[in-house]
Amino acid sequence: MSCFEDADTEETLTCLQMTIYHPSQQQGAAVFQAIPLNNRKKLSSSEVIKFGRNPNICQYTFQDKQVSRVQFSLQLFKELDSSVLSFEIKNLSKRTSLLVDNRELGYLNKVDLPYRCMVRFGDYQFLLEKQDGESLEFFETQFFLSPRSLVQEVNWPVPEFSRLSSCSTQSTSPIEIDENEF
Amino acid sequence: MSCFEDADTEETLTCLQMTIYHPSQQQGAAVFQAIPLNNRKKLSSSEVIKFGRNPNICQYTFQDKQVSRVQFSLQLFKELDSSVLSFEIKNLSKRTSLLVDNRELGYLNKVDLPYRCMVRFGDYQFLLEKQDGESLEFFETQFFLSPRSLVQEVNWPVPEFSRLSSCSTQSTSPIEIDENEF
């Protein structure tokens, strides 16, 4: 585990690594043009970071008219009786569901993220992986671009009831989205 | 239940009523001077509202140097598989605990609020009461000033083990706070 430190306190920082993919990359589209890749970015623990199309509201924007002005937010919290920082994700799009692993979040639904999970909306895929750190004041984000679909690479657990019938549908198909909904 | 409507959609709005008290009121101090009393204020459901001393960060400020720049935040969310909006509270003060009923929240701890609860930090008391509404786009806040301590008025449940020994301590004493912590 590669932990980075706060220069002032020498405490290691919690880092959220996000490996991102969108199929239009293969046609040369630049939906992730405004996402800073590879370098870590230090943020205040109390900050709510928003992802979407509107750069006046969102820290991380997608160059894609099909994306909602604000698609979702991520924020840190500390679990009760624990020193570990975790992330909460909340869907802020009125029209598009957010899939966290196989759980579907509607508008304003939220969920606490496990150490590693897949977040999807439309054709967007995000593999989120958390590295723990000591600092409570700051955390870091880091983005990597995946050259290929993440849902084919990662062997996501499939609920028992659907293992035989719809395994391939759950793990590889893009989410269907009504164009009129954007 | 008095529900107010969104003028455009005619949907009723979820309202968070906050009855607030601080003992310095009785000496004429005006810690709540910047809090808009009695009138409802309409806010976007996606907004995170912050309470504290710094008016550049907080929507609701307290005129009191002992209060942290940001003390806590409130934000709406929708419970999974439900149409009901609820509130999450998060302590954003590094130095002061937040008590939600009898649960103590440290820095970055969060908890989902029940329909009615008592929130306290230092000598501040907030009785929070939620009224459900239909709108998912907006909600309202409304503040009332209490002329007397809320912990004496409200008969808060006391855990079984302390009912005989420390009932009065739990329900009436102010929270002890080390002045150096501010």
Side-chain angles (χ1 to χ4, degrees):
Chain A
M1 196 195 319
S2 62
C3 288
F4 282 55
E5 289 181 353
D6 185 320
D8 297 324
T9 64
E10 294 185 354
E11 288 175 320
T12 54
L13 299 177
T14 298
C15 184
L16 186 66
Q17 294 186 320
M18 292 174 266
T19 306
I20 57 182
Y21 174 79
H22 188 276
S24 71
Q25 290 167 207
Q26 285 157 359
Q27 287 83 49
V31 295
F32 296 130
Q33 196 173 11
I35 302 286
L37 297 174
N38 305 318
N39 294 327
R40 292 183 179 221
K41 185 177 178 183
K42 185 175 163 184
L43 297 156
S44 165
S45 301
S46 61
E47 199 164 342
V48 178
I49 52 175
K50 292 181 178 169
F51 295 73
R53 182 166 44 83
N54 187 329
N56 298 322
I57 308 171
C58 300
Q59 286 87 339
Y60 298 114
T61 56
F62 309 114
Q63 315 287 303
D64 179 351
K65 287 183 181 164
Q66 291 199 318
V67 170
S68 295
R69 285 186 307 144
V70 189
Q71 197 74 42
F72 64 90
S73 70
L74 282 172
Q75 55 189 297
L76 267 187
F77 70 95
K78 193 155 70 76
E79 291 181 37
L80 288 166
D81 305 319
S82 159
S83 61
V84 172
L85 294 180
S86 300
F87 289 89
E88 172 188 303
I89 195 166
K90 192 197 280 185
N91 186 9
L92 293 174
S93 168
K94 297 188 185 78
R95 305 203 180 270
T96 312
S97 292
L98 194 68
L99 279 173
V100 179
D101 290 339
N102 288 318
R103 179 180 279 181
E104 186 174 349
L105 305 189
Y107 181 53
L108 294 178
N109 286 156
K110 64 168 186 170
V111 70
D112 299 344
L113 296 181
Y115 271 87
R116 186 170 193 266
C117 65
M118 180 69 90
V119 171
R120 295 185 287 172
F121 67 90
D123 287 334
Y124 286 79
Q125 302 171 7
F126 304 75
L127 175 63
L128 304 192
E129 295 170 293
K130 186 185 69 152
Q131 292 180 349
D132 285 336
E134 298 153 352
S135 173
L136 295 182
E137 293 218 44
F138 299 101
F139 72 104
E140 288 179 316
T141 56
Q142 187 175 27
F143 291 89
F144 301 104
L145 197 61
S146 171
R148 62 190 75 85
S149 175
L150 295 158
V151 288
Q152 287 161 348
E153 278 187 77
V154 182
N155 188 19
W156 293 101
V158 176
E160 196 62 37
F161 64 86
S162 63
R163 194 156 285 167
L164 291 173
S165 58
S166 62
C167 178
S168 60
T169 312
Q170 292 229 1
S171 60
T172 60
S173 295
I175 304 144
E176 279 186 32
I177 285 201
D178 183 349
E179 294 289 330
N180 297 326
E181 285 189 333
F182 285 98
Chain B
M1 198 195 316
S2 63
C3 288
F4 282 56
E5 290 181 351
D6 185 319
D8 297 324
T9 64
E10 293 184 354
E11 289 175 319
T12 54
L13 298 177
T14 298
C15 183
L16 185 66
Q17 293 186 320
M18 292 174 266
T19 306
I20 56 183
Y21 175 79
H22 188 276
S24 71
Q25 290 166 207
Q26 285 157 0
Q27 286 84 50
V31 295
F32 296 130
Q33 197 173 11
I35 303 285
L37 296 173
N38 305 317
N39 294 326
R40 290 181 180 224
K41 185 177 178 185
K42 185 175 163 184
L43 297 156
S44 166
S45 300
S46 60
E47 199 164 343
V48 178
I49 53 176
K50 292 181 178 169
F51 295 73
R53 182 166 44 82
N54 187 329
N56 298 323
I57 308 171
C58 300
Q59 286 88 338
Y60 298 113
T61 55
F62 309 114
Q63 315 287 303
D64 180 351
K65 287 182 179 163
Q66 290 199 317
V67 170
S68 295
R69 285 186 306 143
V70 189
Q71 197 75 42
F72 65 89
S73 70
L74 282 172
Q75 54 189 298
L76 266 187
F77 70 96
K78 192 156 70 74
E79 291 180 34
L80 287 166
D81 305 320
S82 160
S83 61
V84 173
L85 294 180
S86 299
F87 289 90
E88 171 187 303
I89 195 166
K90 192 196 281 186
N91 186 8
L92 293 174
S93 167
K94 296 187 186 78
R95 306 204 180 269
T96 312
S97 292
L98 194 67
L99 279 173
V100 180
D101 291 341
N102 288 319
R103 180 180 280 181
E104 186 174 349
L105 306 189
Y107 180 52
L108 294 178
N109 286 156
K110 63 168 187 171
V111 70
D112 298 344
L113 296 181
Y115 271 88
R116 187 170 191 265
C117 65
M118 180 69 91
V119 171
R120 295 185 286 172
F121 67 90
D123 287 333
Y124 287 78
Q125 301 171 7
F126 304 76
L127 175 62
L128 304 192
E129 294 169 293
K130 186 185 69 152
Q131 292 180 349
D132 285 336
E134 298 152 352
S135 173
L136 294 183
E137 293 218 43
F138 299 102
F139 72 104
E140 288 180 316
T141 55
Q142 188 175 29
F143 291 89
F144 302 104
L145 197 60
S146 172
R148 63 191 74 84
S149 174
L150 294 159
V151 287
Q152 286 161 347
E153 279 186 76
V154 182
N155 188 18
W156 294 99
V158 176
E160 196 63 35
F161 64 85
S162 62
R163 195 157 285 168
L164 292 173
S165 57
S166 61
C167 176
S168 60
T169 312
Q170 290 231 359
S171 59
T172 61
S173 295
I175 305 144
E176 279 187 32
I177 285 201
D178 183 349
E179 293 290 326
N180 297 328
E181 287 190 334
F182 285 99

